[in-house]
Amino acid sequence: MFGRIQLSEKITMNVLLLLVAIVWLVPLVYLLGYSLEGDHWGNYQAVLSLKLFPHFLINSFIVSVSVVILLLTVVALAAFGFSKATFPGASSIFAICLIGLMIPPVAMLVPLFQTVKSFHWMNTYMSLIGPEVAMSIPFSLLLARNAFDEIPNELLEAAEMDGANAWGKFVRIILPLAVPVLTTIGILAFLNSWNQYLFPLVFINKETMLTVTMAPKFFINEYTSDYHKVFAALVLITIPIVILYLFGQKYMQRGLTSGAIK
């Protein structure tokens, strides 16, 4: 059992948390301040007046939402199988799936490029959706499987006695109880997809198919660069994900701690 936290310990923890918050806030304050230098709010107006900027937003939204839907579908079904179904080699297959946690996306760039090219996905949404889903599966599957392990098997047995098949147990029992962890996985997938810079840079060369993370490069030329507008673009890119995190924070905290207690 944990004892009562002393006042000195509370003060120490708050001071440490304040220092960590300052470390994270200083770059954000600098980003916002630098984006207002020069033309001030004109920097933001210049970004918003880009002819292709609406296309960037729409492309990012389509890609991010598609990644979330596809990832949640695959991960929820796979986690249900690994957690509640028994079949030969389940542990070995699950361990193989987790190998992806040790491989950085940059190391997979060449084989991903060859795969995307062989499927004729270059300059399409699938060139951004497919690799993003594939690289997100290992960590998402780990979170979901641990959360599904917490759901008592007695609930599934009771549902089976009521005549529910495997699909019925998954839809009526597992999914309602797994909302926190699935919401966490969805939020993380949306954030990662929205902030993705490497895949659009490599797989997309048609301007109308670029995502919002490519907007800053339109203010960087060969000999001159307007970094005030670049920073303004970065601020605008950040706003949607900050709003999403604020609304989904409580679900993320619950989802990330799922499976911590057995």
Side-chain angles (χ1 to χ4, degrees), residues 196-260:
Q196 183 61 250
Y197 180 83
L198 183 61
F199 293 158
L201 182 65
V202 175
F203 301 140
I204 303 295
N205 53 39
K206 184 186 299 184
E207 290 188 347
T208 55
M209 292 297 299
L210 293 175
T211 57
V212 74
T213 52
M214 296 290 104
K217 79 171 190 175
F218 284 82
F219 300 100
I220 300 177
N221 301 319
E222 184 176 359
Y223 300 105
T224 60
S225 300
D226 194 339
Y227 287 105
H228 299 298
K229 293 181 176 59
V230 171
F231 277 58
L234 294 176
V235 172
L236 292 174
I237 293 170
T238 306
I239 291 176
I241 59 176
V242 170
I243 295 174
L244 178 63
Y245 177 78
L246 291 177
F247 280 100
Q249 182 179 8
K250 63 177 182 178
Y251 293 104
M252 291 188 65
Q253 292 173 349
R254 291 173 58 189
L256 290 173
T257 56
S258 297

Side-chain angles (χ1 to χ4, degrees), residues 8-147:
S8 59
E9 294 175 340
K10 291 182 179 180
I11 295 175
T12 302
M13 291 176 59
N14 289 332
V15 170
L16 291 176
L17 290 174
L18 179 61
L19 291 176
V20 173
I22 291 174
V23 171
W24 282 96
L25 285 175
V26 167
L28 297 179
V29 173
Y30 177 80
L31 173 66
L32 182 60
Y34 198 70
S35 68
L36 292 172
E37 293 183 3
D39 295 335
H40 303 288
W41 295 107
N43 295 327
Y44 290 90
Q45 185 178 359
V47 176
L48 294 174
S49 62
L50 273 177
K51 184 178 180 180
L52 293 174
F53 194 74
H55 291 278
F56 299 158
L57 290 175
I58 294 173
N59 292 337
S60 291
F61 183 78
I62 292 175
V63 170
S64 299
V65 171
S66 300
V67 167
V68 170
I69 294 174
L70 185 57
L71 180 66
L72 288 180
T73 302
V74 172
V75 167
L77 292 172
F80 176 65
F82 283 120
S83 177
K84 301 304 180 184
T86 56
F87 56 92
S91 300
S92 300
I93 297 175
F94 183 72
I96 292 174
C97 293
L98 297 185
I99 292 177
L101 290 172
M102 300 180 290
I103 305 176
V106 175
M108 296 293 295
L109 192 58
V110 173
L112 281 175
F113 181 83
Q114 295 297 333
T115 302
V116 169
K117 187 177 180 180
S118 63
F119 279 101
H120 304 287
W121 284 352
M122 297 295 291
N123 293 312
T124 66
Y125 289 131
M126 283 305 301
S127 67
L128 306 179
I129 297 172
E132 187 66 35
V133 171
M135 300 304 296
S136 301
I137 283 178
F139 181 69
S140 302
L141 181 59
L142 179 63
L143 286 180
R145 203 286 299 267
N146 290 342

